[in-house]
């Protein structure tokens, strides 16, 4: 999954793709580089970010979604707003990526249920401007798995089909570096939920901290590719990244390794 943030303030690519034509080109380039799906978002969720009104989000993302879908690119819409998701699906998006797993907008589960499209439910505790106050766990792996399971139950109770849902531990969302590494080391606990797993580690600060404090986000692609290979080897279904080519190579290595060199 390639990332196109149509935002002024995302931590890695904020401002780069705020102009519609640049965002569209970025999405087309990612598809050409081999991403299976392009994730288009209009609201930054970087630590401390404030919420963006749905109307502004739609103004940013809809022309990009429409153009990419018209060009045959599979697009997911990265939003916590049900009305943005609905408008993006009308514009041709084929999946919803909700970092709040349905907690931010009570209408999101109905939108996911009515549309029937793949719905990514990420582990989330609070909006970005207060999420670090909630980064306290006795056992991060057990608690994230249990909270995701409660989300699955609630979504299914609201009419979303179990088969529609993809789960995501939400690296960096109300989690510090140690929490992220513990979750990555225990993807088996998330597999027990019975749904495919998406991992979004790309360029996040816990990688910067590992390879050297002060390394800017765009210098974290090798570390991101390493996480992608290891996550794929541990059974992740999808990895969400800013730079597609190195991660594609990395997941190819993981697949060849798993299959003894024969095509998977
Ligand atoms: N991370 C960001 C945004 N959206 N969606 C999912 N499913 N998982 C993530 O980890 C995730 C996400 C963080 O911001 P970015 O778009 O600048 O990487």
């Amino acid at each position: 999954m390639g990332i196109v943030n149509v935002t002024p303030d995302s931590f890695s690519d904020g401002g780069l793709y705020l102009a519609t034509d640049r965002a569209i080109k970025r999405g087309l380039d990612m598809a050409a580089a081999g991403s299976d799906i392009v994730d288009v978002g209009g609201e930054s969720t970087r630590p401390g970010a404030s919420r963006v009104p749905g109307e502004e989000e739609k103004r940013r993302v809809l022309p990009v979604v429409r153009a990419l879908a018209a060009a045959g690119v599979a697009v997911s819409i990265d939003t916590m707003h049900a009305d943005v998701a609905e408008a993006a699906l009308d514009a041709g998006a084929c999946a919803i990526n909700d970092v709040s797993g349905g907690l931010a907008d009570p209408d999101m589960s109905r939108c996911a249920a009515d549309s029937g499209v793949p719905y990514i439910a990420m582990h989330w505790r609070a909006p970005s401007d207060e999420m670090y106050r909630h980064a306290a766990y006795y056992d991060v792996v057990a608690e994230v798995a249990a909270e995701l399971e409660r989300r699955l139950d609630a979504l299914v109770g609201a009419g979303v089909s179990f088969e529609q849902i993809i789960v995501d531990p939400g690296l960096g969302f109300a989690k510090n570096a140690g929490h992220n590494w513990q979750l990555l080391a225990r993807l088996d606990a998330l597999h027990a939920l019975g749904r495919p797993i998406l991992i979004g580690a790309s360029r996040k600060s816990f990688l910067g901290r590992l390879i050297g404090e002060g390394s800017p986000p765009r210098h974290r692609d090798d570390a991101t590719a390493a996480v992608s290979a290891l996550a794929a080897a541990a059974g992740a279904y999808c990895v969400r990244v800013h730079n597609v080519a190195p991660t594609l190579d990395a997941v190819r290595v993981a697949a060849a390794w798993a299959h003894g060199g024969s095509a998977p």
Side-chain angles (χ1 to χ4, degrees):
M1 173 183 276
I3 304 169
V4 178
N5 286 317
V6 195
T7 59
D9 56 344
S10 289
F11 78 95
S12 162
D13 54 358
L16 287 179
Y17 308 110
L18 188 56
T20 303
D21 52 344
R22 294 188 67 165
I24 295 167
K25 180 169 183 325
R26 179 71 174 162
L28 293 173
D29 287 348
M30 287 182 148
S35 74
D36 292 319
I37 186 161
V38 171
D39 191 40
V40 178
E43 175 179 1
S44 169
T45 48
R46 73 169 207 292
S50 337
R51 299 295 317 272
V52 172
E55 286 312 310
E56 171 61 12
E57 221 183 309
K58 281 192 243 179
R59 197 190 60 73
R60 293 177 185 175
V61 296
L62 292 182
V64 180
V65 172
R66 203 170 288 118
L68 291 177
V73 177
V75 176
S76 54
I77 177 69
D78 185 348
T79 187
M80 290 184 267
H81 286 122
D83 65 322
V84 176
E86 251 155 17
L89 294 174
D90 285 345
C94 61
I96 303 168
N97 175 22
D98 177 3
V99 297
S100 81
L103 286 172
D105 185 340
D107 211 25
M108 187 60 101
S109 45
R110 183 205 50 77
C111 167
D114 287 353
S115 67
V117 300
Y119 175 74
I120 298 154
M122 200 192 80
H123 177 264
W124 184 89
R125 283 186 162 180
S128 299
D129 57 357
E130 53 170 288
M131 65 182 173
Y132 285 130
R133 277 197 269 133
H134 300 264
Y137 302 85
Y138 292 105
D139 178 339
V140 67
V141 175
E143 285 168 62
V144 167
E147 286 168 35
L148 277 174
E149 186 165 31
R150 280 204 289 281
R151 277 287 79 217
L152 278 168
D153 289 346
L155 289 162
V156 170
V160 182
S161 132
F162 186 67
E163 283 70 35
Q164 239 177 294
I165 304 171
I166 294 152
V167 293
D168 179 338
L171 302 178
F173 287 81
K175 286 156 207 100
N176 63 31
H179 298 139
N180 295 339
W181 290 118
Q182 287 175 60
L183 285 161
L184 285 168
R186 287 292 317 284
L187 290 189
D188 57 308
L190 300 183
H191 282 303
L193 296 170
R195 297 306 308 142
I197 298 170
L198 185 146
I199 295 294
S202 188
R203 297 184 177 175
K204 285 186 176 168
S205 62
F206 76 110
L207 299 179
R209 184 183 281 218
L210 179 81
I211 61 179
E213 212 63 76
S215 90
R218 68 180 186 286
H219 290 177
R220 301 173 190 162
D221 286 339
D222 293 346
T224 299
V227 172
S228 297
L230 291 164
Y237 160 77
C238 184
V239 280
R240 178 181 180 278
V241 296
H242 298 90
N243 187 355
V244 171
T247 268
L248 188 59
D249 287 351
V251 297
R252 281 184 177 137
V253 169
W257 187 295
H259 294 87
S262 57

